[in-house]
């Protein structure tokens, strides 16, 4: 990873820990000892958003999760997430989600499962800073590490996703477009998020592959889906799983390690593999500590 990319990831980690404070471009430039112009350009290259849009989106996503998971007054939630006043928060929230904070809270989530709101808020708040960073290329490779592969029983998984055919070099760009779109729809419609974002690979070829990027939800979606967003159900069953530790460039070695382990165990693939992003690059700037769970259904 270049020193400047590492510097930006460290800066994003600070931003995401201090979003209730002043994170204007001038303040960020002061923290980073960079010019406002240079920092604006580099952050936009990394995240796909201006610093102002990035901070606003993450604040609103976290506030929306808290609205449905807690009984705190709207004014308190606004202040906790860095908004100067209840009115400023309400205007921004309504523009982003298409309904007022109060209306959003009254509508709630489309589930009646104990604990679902708390899980939803945690998952939404954790994923929001990183939706444009999953699979980001760091032009850095680490020595392969041994994998701890095991087989476990998985429950039925419900998710909303978008599908693209891409080359391997286009995975990060595709996810940077897909995941924010699905995430914002899920939050806007009050669908309960069940876990971190994922990428699934139903077709893998030499020149290109099909990728499905999405968000897991507690129950099947009961709302009309927009064009391009699809609902999928991954059936319950056995799967070989392992935690990949390190940058995304070395994920392919971990996939190969799982395939080798399966051959040794006499197991064969029984469906498309997927990866779940357990670590948030926007909050953990060191790629050596990133964790990605790889799941391969088996028979």
């Amino acid at each position: 990873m270049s020193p400047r990319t590492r510097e930006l990831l460290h800066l994003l980690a600070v931003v995401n820990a201090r979003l209730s404070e002043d994170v204007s471009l001038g303040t960020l430039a002061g923290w980073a000892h960079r010019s406002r112009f240079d920092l604006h350009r580099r952050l936009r290259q990394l995240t796909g958003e201006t610093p102002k849009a990035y901070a606003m989106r993450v604040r609103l996503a976290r506030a929306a999760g808290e609205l449905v998971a807690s009984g705190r007054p709207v004014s308190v939630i606004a202040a906790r997430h860095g908004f100067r006043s209840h009115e400023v928060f309400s205007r921004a929230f309504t523009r982003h989600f298409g309904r007022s904070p109060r209306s959003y809270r009254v509508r709630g989530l489309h589930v009646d499962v104990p604990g679902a709101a708390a899980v939803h808020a945690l998952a939404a708040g954790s994923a929001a800073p990183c939706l444009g960073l999953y699979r980001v290329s760091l032009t850095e490779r680490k020595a392969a590490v041994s994998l701890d592969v095991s087989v476990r029983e998985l429950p039925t998984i419900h998710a909303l996703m978008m599908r693209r055919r891409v080359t391997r070099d286009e995975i990060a760009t595709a996810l940077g477009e897909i995941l924010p779109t699905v995430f914002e729809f899920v939050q806007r419609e009050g669908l309960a998020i069940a876990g971190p974002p994922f990428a699934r690979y139903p077709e893998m070829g030499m020149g290109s592959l099909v990728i499905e990027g999405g968000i897991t939800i507690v129950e099947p979606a009961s709302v009309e889906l927009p064009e391009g967003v699809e609902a999928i159900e991954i059936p319950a069953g056995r799967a070989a799983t392992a935690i990949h530790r390190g940058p995304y460039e070395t994920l392919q070695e971990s996939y190969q390690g799982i395939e080798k382990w399966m051959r040794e165990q006499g197991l064969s693939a029984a469906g498309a593999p997927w990866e779940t992003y357990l670590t948030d690059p926007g909050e953990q700037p060191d790629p050596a500590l990133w964790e990605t769970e790889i799941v391969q259904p088996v028979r």
Side-chain angles (χ1 to χ4, degrees), residues 28 69 96 166 216 255:
L28 299 186
H96 190 77
V166 298
T216 57
Y255 275 100

Side-chain angles (χ1 to χ4, degrees), residues 87-256:
E87 291 74 18
V88 171
F89 171 62
S90 293
R91 286 197 298 269
F93 192 96
T94 302
R95 282 196 302 269
H96 190 77
F97 288 105
R99 61 176 68 220
S100 70
R102 196 171 304 280
S103 173
Y104 188 91
R105 166 176 274 171
V106 170
R107 194 267 324 266
L109 299 175
H110 290 276
V111 295
D112 186 19
V113 177
V119 172
H120 166 87
L122 182 62
S126 180
C130 314
L131 291 170
L133 297 175
Y134 294 116
R135 279 291 198 148
V136 63
S137 176
L138 303 174
T139 63
E140 175 184 19
R141 300 183 69 82
K142 299 281 187 180
V145 296
S146 59
L147 279 180
D148 182 12
V149 186
S150 62
V151 172
R152 58 189 176 94
E153 292 288 337
L154 298 181
T156 299
I157 297 172
H158 303 287
L160 294 183
M161 62 82 185
M162 296 180 73
R163 184 182 295 111
R164 298 276 178 85
R165 178 174 290 278
V166 298
T167 65
R168 293 185 187 276
D169 291 339
E170 295 170 334
I171 291 176
T173 300
L175 288 179
E177 297 169 355
I178 289 171
L179 292 179
T181 300
V182 178
F183 180 83
E184 289 182 12
F185 174 77
V186 167
Q187 270 212 312
R188 185 171 63 249
E189 296 299 325
L191 303 175
I193 298 173
F198 70 91
R200 188 168 177 257
Y201 302 95
E203 182 182 329
M204 303 182 73
M206 293 296 292
S208 66
L209 52 86
V210 174
I211 185 171
E212 297 173 343
I215 305 293
T216 57
I217 53 180
V218 174
E219 294 181 347
S222 57
V223 298
E224 183 177 353
L225 303 181
E227 183 178 358
V229 176
E230 300 179 39
I232 59 172
E233 179 181 293
I234 303 174
R238 301 171 71 221
T241 67
I243 302 297
H244 167 86
R245 294 178 174 86
Y248 301 128
E249 281 89 344
T250 56
L251 268 168
Q252 189 58 34
E253 284 120 356
S254 291
Y255 275 100
Q256 293 169 353

Side-chain angles (χ1 to χ4, degrees), residues 9-14 16 54 129-130 133 280-285 290:
L9 287 174
H10 276 282
L11 181 61
L12 283 180
V14 173
N16 286 306
Y54 176 88
C130 314
L133 297 175
D280 307 314
E283 297 187 322
Q284 172 49 261
W290 293 354

Side-chain angles (χ1 to χ4, degrees), residues 54-87:
Y54 176 88
M56 178 63 74
R57 179 181 58 77
V58 176
R59 281 170 165 161
L60 289 171
R62 289 175 169 173
E66 190 170 352
L67 279 169
V68 297
S70 81
R72 294 188 181 96
V74 174
S75 59
V76 172
I77 292 175
R80 280 168 54 86
H81 294 283
F83 292 91
R84 297 192 308 273
S85 68
H86 178 283
E87 291 74 18

